[in-house]
């Protein structure tokens, strides 16, 4: 027994401590969500008289359903569009040779070195004018925020996908060209199915990053009906943190549902590498 503890037992102990340390915040949030009093001061690890009152109050007393729908719309459209446009750009940079290709790649890399929030003043002034001219893509509209998120996500996604496209043998392109396929047919029918793993990874990262984004959304979305989950949930605890803590924790549990579902849908593409066996021997 002593020998087992010296060789492997301490590793199990460290693993158990790490699991307990990582699970404690989750257990605390779940306990607070089902705490009938719904306050921070009354929250314990094990709730007394658990109930779903916080969930009922969240759905009836706030605009949570609208915030949820706004977040799904903005995150879903932004992720899907950024993945599609990034795949097109990565295909061009990986497979084609044109003037300015190297400069374009370096420009994308350099732009990503600066956080998008550094340009928030300039972006705010631009959208102030855009709101006057085209209100449909201005402040408090999901489409304007989607366009803004697309500009920040295309660079890093393009670089990630280009590296994946480079690993696919060019013999596939040449074979498709010999069979009379155009560039569009080669991209959609040959290469796109083979890069499904990186599409799933970038799509998941883009979805998570967009649905959790707060700073820019807080600047652009001020109307209650236009807010996303992160902005609306922050408003619950900004002024009355103690009283609304239970509703806030209930909202965080509901907010995690879309991310979990997206991960479950994309999991098989992430785990399985679809490029194996693509080239005949």
């Amino acid at each position: 027994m002593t020998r087992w503890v010296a060789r492997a037992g301490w590793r199990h102990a460290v693993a158990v401590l790490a699991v307990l340390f990582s699970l404690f915040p989750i257990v605390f949030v779940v306990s607070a969500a089902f705490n009938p009093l719904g306050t921070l001061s009354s929250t314990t690890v094990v709730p007394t008289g658990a109930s779903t009152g916080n969930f009922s109050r969240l759905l009836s007393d706030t605009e949570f359903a609208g915030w949820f729908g706004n977040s799904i719309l903005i995150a879903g459209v932004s992720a899907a569009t950024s993945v599609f446009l990034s795949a097109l750009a990565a295909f061009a940079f990986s497979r084609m040779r044109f003037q300015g290709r190297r400069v374009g790649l370096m420009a994308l890399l350099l732009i990503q070195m600066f956080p998008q929030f550094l340009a928030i003043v300039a972006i705010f002034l631009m959208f102030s004018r855009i709101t006057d001219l085209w209100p449909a893509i201005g402040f408090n509209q999901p489409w304007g925020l989607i366009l803004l998120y697309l500009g920040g996500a295309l660079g890093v996604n393009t670089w990630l996908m280009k590296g994946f496209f480079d690993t696919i043998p060019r013999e596939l392109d040449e074979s498709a060209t010999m069979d009379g396929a155009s560039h569009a047919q080669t991209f959609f029918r040959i290469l796109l199915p083979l890069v499904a793993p990186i599409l799933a990874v970038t799509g998941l990262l883009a979805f998570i990053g967009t649905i959790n984004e707060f700073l820019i959304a807080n600047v652009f979305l001020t109307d209650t009906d236009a807010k996303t989950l992160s902005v609306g949930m922050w408003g619950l605890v900004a002024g009355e943190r103690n009283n609304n803590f239970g509703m806030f924790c209930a909202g965080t549990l509901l907010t995690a549902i879309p991310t979990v579902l997206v991960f479950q849908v994309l999991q098989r593409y992430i785990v399985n590498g679809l490029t194996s066996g693509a080239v005949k021997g």
Side-chain angles (χ1 to χ4, degrees):
M1 182 64 180
T2 304
R3 185 178 179 181
W4 178 83
V5 172
R7 296 185 57 184
W10 66 272
R11 300 178 182 177
H12 290 77
V14 172
V16 170
L17 290 176
V19 171
L20 293 177
F21 181 79
S22 60
L23 288 180
F24 176 77
I26 300 176
V27 174
F28 186 80
V29 170
V30 173
S31 175
F34 289 96
N35 179 20
L37 298 180
T39 61
L40 176 61
S41 58
S42 63
T43 300
T44 58
V45 176
V46 180
T48 303
S51 69
T52 58
N54 291 321
F55 294 90
S56 301
R57 290 173 53 207
L58 179 69
L59 296 176
S60 61
D61 298 345
T62 67
E63 300 294 331
F64 181 82
W67 302 339
F68 195 93
N70 293 336
S71 293
I72 296 299
L73 173 64
I74 293 174
V77 174
S78 298
T81 308
S82 66
V83 168
F84 178 70
L85 295 179
S86 299
L88 293 177
F91 171 74
F93 281 121
S94 176
R95 287 302 198 261
M96 301 178 183
R97 296 296 180 265
F98 51 88
Q99 187 176 3
R101 172 180 172 274
R102 187 177 183 84
V103 176
L105 285 173
M106 293 302 298
L108 288 176
L109 182 62
L110 292 175
I111 292 173
Q112 298 306 307
M113 296 175 62
F114 302 95
Q116 191 177 18
F117 192 73
L118 290 179
I120 191 62
V121 175
I123 294 174
F124 182 85
L125 295 176
M126 291 172 55
F127 272 85
S128 296
R129 184 60 174 168
I130 291 174
T131 303
D132 296 333
L133 298 177
W134 302 286
I137 57 173
F139 291 130
N140 295 310
Q141 296 295 329
W143 310 113
L145 194 59
I146 289 173
L147 291 175
L148 185 58
Y149 286 151
L150 287 177
L154 289 179
V156 61
N157 290 345
T158 300
W159 265 98
L160 289 174
M161 292 186 186
K162 177 189 176 298
F164 208 90
F165 272 104
D166 290 341
T167 63
I168 299 178
R170 292 183 177 273
E171 286 81 355
L172 290 176
D173 302 46
E174 298 172 357
S175 176
T177 303
M178 292 294 294
D179 292 336
S182 63
H183 289 301
Q185 291 174 327
T186 302
F187 174 75
F188 285 105
R189 297 185 180 183
I190 306 298
L191 297 181
L192 203 60
L194 298 178
V195 298
I198 194 62
L199 297 180
V201 171
T202 53
L204 180 62
L205 293 177
F207 184 86
I208 294 175
T210 304
I211 203 171
N212 293 331
E213 201 281 325
F214 169 76
L215 293 176
I216 297 178
N218 190 40
V219 174
F220 278 74
L221 305 177
T222 55
D223 291 347
T224 303
D225 296 337
K227 291 180 178 179
T228 58
L229 282 171
S230 58
V231 179
M233 296 292 294
W234 175 79
L236 293 179
V237 295
E240 300 180 4
R241 180 176 303 176
N242 184 60
N243 295 335
N244 295 332
F245 187 72
M247 287 196 301
F248 178 82
C249 292
T252 57
L253 295 181
L254 297 178
T255 303
I257 294 177
T259 303
V260 174
L261 292 178
V262 171
F263 179 80
Q264 291 297 326
V265 172
L266 300 179
Q267 185 179 15
R268 66 189 184 96
Y269 295 104
I270 298 174
V271 174
N272 299 325
L274 298 183
T275 56
S276 57
V279 181
K280 294 182 180 180

